[in-house]
Amino acid sequence: MNTDRKTLANARRVQLNDRADLARLTVVPQPRTDLVTRLATVPGLVRPGVAHWDLKERLPLHPLSVENAYGDPRLLPDLGAAAVDFARRMGVEVVVGAETGGIPLATAVALAAGLPFAFVRKPGYVGHEDHEPSVRGASVAGRQVLLVDDAVSSGGALEAFADELQSEGAILVGAFTLVDMRDVATTVAPIAQTLPIESVATYLDVLDAATDHGVLDPAVHHLAVDALVNHWSNDDPRWSLLDRAA
Ligand SMILES: O=C(O)c1cc(=O)[nH]c(=O)n1[C@@H]1O[C@H](COP(=O)(O)O)[C@@H](O)[C@H]1O
């Protein structure tokens, strides 16, 4: 018997007719630590070198190329499945991907949860026409939505996407991201302090796992975390130690 037929047979046995219940049976929960390790060891996601904070003070020392997670088609469904419990708890009716990095993940979440999918275009993106609708896909008006993005840091993007969704009449009940960088952000927008947000890993979790699995050198990691957590100033003499260690 193939997996789908087995799932259907189980669903009948326990008298589950609802599509969402059926989807729940097909989700294979993974210990979150395995998922963090898989994420942190995706080739190119954590770069071994050191870079200082960018001008907006948003990107930390090891800029992550989070979108590289989408280069592994076996990883994406498991990342999506990680949001299913959260979506249920929040009473989500539509999963909305934030352009662009949130869209593949949101697709995986919607499929895993058996929920409708939509995406919201990045506000102010050059090349968009003003008259184009900002939300595409399933209708979000009057429905409880989960916003999915690849990362949250200052919450600036979250705030802008929330405004777009609100203008379409959506009820934003939570956000799901791959990496939560609020742990190293210098400022966090009010919405990112109050909206329920669940993520696969924090930024520091990713660095820890990358170090444990040989992607990052432990000496670099130690100094980098110190710099991040204690917010070294730009003229801190310890930056030269970090440069030498890298
Ligand atoms: O394309 C981006 O805006 C982007 C580039 C980048 O290098 N890192 C990065 O996190 N982002 C996006 O920036 C947003 C998170 O940053 P905050 O707006 O500071 O929370 C998310 O929408 C990310 O997709």
Side-chain angles (χ1 to χ4, degrees):
M1 198 185 280
N2 69 28
T3 313
D4 285 346
R5 285 174 56 202
K6 232 188 266 172
T7 306
L8 274 170
N10 283 340
R12 286 201 193 97
R13 211 173 7 252
V14 294
Q15 292 186 320
L16 296 176
N17 304 314
D18 188 270
R19 281 193 48 184
D21 281 329
L22 193 59
R24 180 167 50 78
L25 288 176
T26 65
V27 171
V28 182
Q30 285 229 347
R32 198 49 76 92
T33 46
D34 285 1
L35 211 47
V36 177
T37 300
R38 288 172 67 196
L39 186 64
T41 55
V42 160
L45 192 138
V46 179
R47 297 189 211 113
V50 170
H52 295 191
W53 295 81
D54 77 359
L55 290 178
K56 285 186 257 166
E57 296 198 350
R58 179 157 58 81
L59 292 179
L61 285 157
H62 300 283
L64 304 182
S65 293
V66 181
E67 64 283 353
N68 281 350
Y70 304 144
D72 178 350
R74 285 155 310 178
L75 178 57
L76 186 54
D78 294 340
L79 293 168
V84 171
D85 277 350
F86 179 55
R88 288 226 171 83
R89 271 186 275 124
M90 303 315 296
V92 170
E93 297 171 284
V94 184
V95 178
V96 180
E99 187 181 53
T100 55
I103 294 177
L105 180 62
T107 310
V109 173
L111 289 171
L115 287 169
F117 166 83
F119 67 92
V120 54
R121 302 203 79 181
K122 191 183 291 251
Y125 192 85
V126 177
H128 287 181
E129 301 293 338
D130 286 345
H131 61 272
E132 291 176 347
S134 61
V135 181
R136 317 279 172 89
S139 167
V140 294
R143 299 170 95 184
Q144 304 211 132
V145 308
L146 176 71
L147 182 69
V148 177
D149 204 347
D150 56 352
V152 57
S153 178
S154 71
L158 185 56
E159 203 167 42
F161 286 121
D163 286 348
E164 293 292 332
L165 288 168
Q166 198 179 14
S167 66
E168 297 292 327
I171 305 155
L172 180 61
V173 293
F176 179 75
T177 73
L178 289 181
V179 185
D180 184 345
M181 301 190 179
R182 288 176 299 167
D183 53 354
V184 291
T186 44
T187 54
V188 176
I191 190 170
Q193 296 175 32
T194 52
L195 186 75
I197 301 177
E198 204 166 287
S199 301
V200 172
T202 66
Y203 180 75
L204 294 178
D205 288 339
V206 173
L207 292 195
D208 281 349
T211 306
D212 289 347
H213 292 83
V215 178
L216 272 185
D217 179 88
V220 174
H221 176 54
H222 178 78
L223 288 167
V225 170
D226 193 329
L228 286 165
V229 172
N230 297 312
H231 296 289
W232 293 359
S233 63
N234 281 342
D235 57 2
D236 194 302
R238 288 171 297 176
W239 284 116
S240 63
L241 286 177
L242 199 44
D243 287 338
R244 258 181 272 141

